[in-house]
Amino acid sequence: MSVTITDSDISPGDLATAFYADNPHGAVTTFAGFVRDFNTQGEVETLHLECYVEMAERVLSDLGAEARQRFGLKSWQIVHRFGSLSSTTPIVFVATSADHRAEAFSACEFVMDTLKTDAPFWKREDFEGEQQWVTVAARDVDRRRRWDTKDPVS
Amino acid sequence: MSVTITDSDISPGDLATAFYADNPHGAVTTFAGFVRDFNTQGEVETLHLECYVEMAERVLSDLGAEARQRFGLKSWQIVHRFGSLSSTTPIVFVATSADHRAEAFSACEFVMDTLKTDAPFWKREDFEGEQQWVTVAARDVDRRRRWDTKDPVS
Amino acid sequence: MAIRVKFFSLIREAVETEELTLNFDAEISTVAGLKSFLGERGEAWVEALSHPNLIQAVNQRVVFQEEAINDGDDVAFFPPMTGG
Amino acid sequence: MAIRVKFFSLIREAVETEELTLNFDAEISTVAGLKSFLGERGEAWVEALSHPNLIQAVNQRVVFQEEAINDGDDVAFFPPMTGG
């Protein structure tokens, strides 16, 4: 049960290893997101992630607690980078553990879907000398919205 | 893109670390399952996993290939233990990577749901001096079946 | 009373300001009132703070602009978030 | 012709056999025929191989009992699988 917001490099492998050691429960799901080297318009050189740190800590702590309650998690962890990142750099790591896989999977996906639209980070892509703020993808809004009504585990 | 069936200890942390290093794609989902220390009837001392190794290799290779095609994965890995396992020992590790998280999550869950009922492993629980073969849970059959009809990514 | 006001992303760029500390008498009682007050700084501020997708937070929680502001609060203005 | 036959879990325990290599003339052409042939070994075999949830595989693929058997095939009998 922890949230880390940092502008230092994160290591999803080390984070997963530590999470497994502390939480060898029946079902452990993790998600790791890495900077892609492309967007809809072409090659991306650098991704800049701006963050409202105090708010991110609060939002992600509340989100973890909500996921725990909603899906009966035994444990969870959320780690999120900010700052300037080159392609293939890890951005985010989420881990959830439960007695059964349905809950672990749903909770991890719920956290990721919610974090995308509700956590105070703003992505700016630098490519071919231009800087462009990333807008919210319609599919991300849709994925976030389904948790408002969806059965907790399906 | 690999399958490993082994009666030696597996380390999900090391497996995740190596998978991340080789596949730093936009979205990487992993699942790790550990032996629980209880079942519906009480405490479990040892879980014995019998395996038809040649068939498991074939079934899981086919399953990974199907997941890759169905969800447009960039990479996948399946590792499964057999033999005698005490509680908290890792049993299974699945990793999937894709450009976007919807595909990585769905593929990982698809592999786990299918593997539960279609991969030739048989679990026997030893507790209080008795040995009992685990029967297929109705919820596992239901979860397997939904992939026959479900939209690839939802 | 004193409040801190923060700006992020597009909004920060538009008003060319990361953070302000404001001291004023209690005539500003809501986020909407604060927006009007800040609009007196110029057209760029009016435009940024009337952005159709503007989100406002008080003490790290997203709120409607009718939300009350009290002494010591942190207020923030920013566009839709793109985490993960 | 020669085939290998494997038994797992409950079925292995019931017939007290892990693996057989059978050599016979070609009168057995399907999995169903093989089951009848093995049933001649006794009541335990008949019972195990008529288990309502019995699954059979030929060359590592699950098949119906009408599946043909050919020289060199691997045949396996087992109960529903419980992986993961």
Side-chain angles (χ1 to χ4, degrees):
Chain A
M1 267 74 79
S2 77
V3 166
T4 307
I5 314 288
T6 177
D7 61 354
S8 302
D9 281 341
I10 63 174
S11 167
D14 291 349
L15 292 167
T17 300
F19 192 86
Y20 293 142
D22 292 342
N23 305 285
H25 303 132
V28 185
T29 300
T30 73
F31 179 86
F34 297 82
V35 178
R36 286 192 298 270
D37 54 2
F38 65 91
N39 65 7
T40 50
Q41 284 156 295
E43 197 172 325
V44 173
E45 287 138 28
T46 306
L47 183 72
H48 183 79
L49 259 168
E50 188 168 331
C51 177
Y52 180 4
V53 176
E54 305 96 305
M55 181 168 165
E57 283 169 353
R58 173 168 246 184
V59 167
L60 296 181
S61 296
D62 288 352
L63 178 55
E66 184 185 351
R68 186 188 188 189
Q69 158 127 47
R70 183 164 175 174
F71 300 99
L73 294 182
K74 301 197 86 158
S75 189
W76 59 270
Q77 181 173 21
I78 303 173
V79 180
H80 206 304
R81 261 302 299 272
F82 64 100
S84 287
L85 292 78
S86 55
S87 80
T88 77
T89 301
I91 306 176
V92 61
F93 175 81
V94 174
T96 53
S97 74
D99 286 333
H100 299 282
R101 73 188 182 288
E103 289 76 8
F105 270 117
S106 291
C108 196
E109 207 165 357
F110 166 72
V111 167
M112 280 306 305
D113 286 347
T114 306
L115 172 163
K116 279 261 165 185
T117 58
D118 291 17
F121 295 87
W122 298 273
K123 289 198 183 100
R124 194 188 70 212
E125 294 170 345
D126 299 356
F127 59 107
E128 292 164 16
E130 292 193 17
Q131 300 188 334
Q132 189 169 303
W133 291 100
V134 174
T135 53
V136 179
R139 80 185 237 160
D140 284 337
V141 174
D142 290 345
R143 288 182 67 81
R144 168 68 184 86
R145 194 172 289 136
R146 71 194 175 125
W147 295 104
D148 292 341
T149 52
K150 209 181 181 191
D151 185 59
V153 178
S154 73
Chain B
M1 267 73 80
S2 77
V3 167
T4 308
I5 314 288
T6 177
D7 61 355
S8 302
D9 281 342
I10 64 174
S11 166
D14 291 349
L15 292 166
T17 300
F19 192 86
Y20 293 141
D22 292 341
N23 305 284
H25 303 132
V28 185
T29 300
T30 73
F31 180 86
F34 298 82
V35 179
R36 286 192 298 269
D37 56 0
F38 64 91
N39 65 7
T40 50
Q41 285 157 297
E43 198 171 325
V44 172
E45 287 139 28
T46 306
L47 183 72
H48 184 79
L49 258 168
E50 188 168 332
C51 177
Y52 179 6
V53 176
E54 304 97 304
M55 181 167 165
E57 283 169 352
R58 172 168 248 184
V59 167
L60 295 180
S61 296
D62 288 352
L63 178 56
E66 184 184 350
R68 185 188 189 189
Q69 157 126 49
R70 183 165 175 172
F71 300 100
L73 294 182
K74 301 199 87 159
S75 189
W76 59 270
Q77 180 174 22
I78 304 173
V79 180
H80 207 303
R81 262 302 299 271
F82 64 99
S84 286
L85 292 79
S86 55
S87 81
T88 78
T89 302
I91 306 176
V92 62
F93 175 82
V94 174
T96 54
S97 74
D99 285 334
H100 299 283
R101 72 188 183 289
E103 289 75 11
F105 271 118
S106 291
C108 196
E109 208 164 357
F110 166 72
V111 167
M112 280 306 305
D113 286 347
T114 306
L115 173 162
K116 279 261 166 187
T117 57
D118 292 17
F121 294 87
W122 297 272
K123 289 199 182 101
R124 194 188 70 211
E125 293 171 344
D126 299 356
F127 59 107
E128 292 163 18
E130 292 193 17
Q131 300 187 332
Q132 189 168 305
W133 290 99
V134 174
T135 53
V136 179
R139 80 185 235 158
D140 284 337
V141 174
D142 289 344
R143 288 182 67 80
R144 168 69 184 85
R145 193 171 289 136
R146 71 196 175 121
W147 296 104
D148 293 340
T149 52
K150 208 180 183 192
D151 185 58
V153 177
S154 75
Chain C
M1 70 183 202
I3 61 168
R4 287 197 310 168
V5 190
K6 297 178 183 205
F7 307 90
F8 294 95
S9 181
L10 284 176
I11 308 299
R12 170 180 57 71
E13 290 179 338
V15 301
E16 296 179 322
T17 304
E18 284 188 23
E19 185 169 338
L20 290 174
T21 301
L22 296 179
N23 287 280
F24 47 76
D25 294 332
E27 81 275 18
I28 300 171
S29 59
T30 65
V31 175
L34 175 63
K35 285 160 79 171
S36 299
F37 177 77
L38 291 169
E40 291 168 20
R41 290 173 175 242
E43 188 53 37
W45 290 76
V46 172
E47 229 173 81
L49 296 177
S50 58
H51 191 293
N53 293 322
L54 184 78
I55 295 173
Q56 50 253 326
V58 173
N59 297 331
Q60 293 85 49
R61 298 207 188 273
V62 172
V63 295
F64 290 110
Q65 68 169 4
E66 291 72 24
E67 184 78 8
I69 297 178
N70 295 297
D71 187 41
D73 281 352
D74 278 356
V75 181
F77 295 103
F78 45 80
M81 300 165 266
T82 52
Chain D
M1 69 184 203
I3 61 168
R4 288 197 307 168
V5 189
K6 299 179 182 206
F7 307 90
F8 294 95
S9 181
L10 283 177
I11 308 299
R12 171 181 56 72
E13 290 180 338
V15 302
E16 296 180 323
T17 304
E18 282 188 22
E19 185 170 338
L20 290 174
T21 301
L22 296 179
N23 285 281
F24 48 76
D25 294 334
E27 82 274 19
I28 300 172
S29 61
T30 66
V31 175
L34 175 63
K35 286 161 78 172
S36 299
F37 178 76
L38 290 170
E40 291 168 18
R41 292 174 174 241
E43 188 52 38
W45 290 75
V46 172
E47 229 174 79
L49 297 177
S50 59
H51 190 292
N53 293 322
L54 184 78
I55 295 173
Q56 50 252 327
V58 173
N59 297 332
Q60 293 87 50
R61 297 207 187 275
V62 171
V63 295
F64 290 109
Q65 69 168 5
E66 291 73 22
E67 183 77 8
I69 296 178
N70 294 297
D71 188 40
D73 280 352
D74 277 358
V75 182
F77 295 103
F78 45 80
M81 299 165 269
T82 52

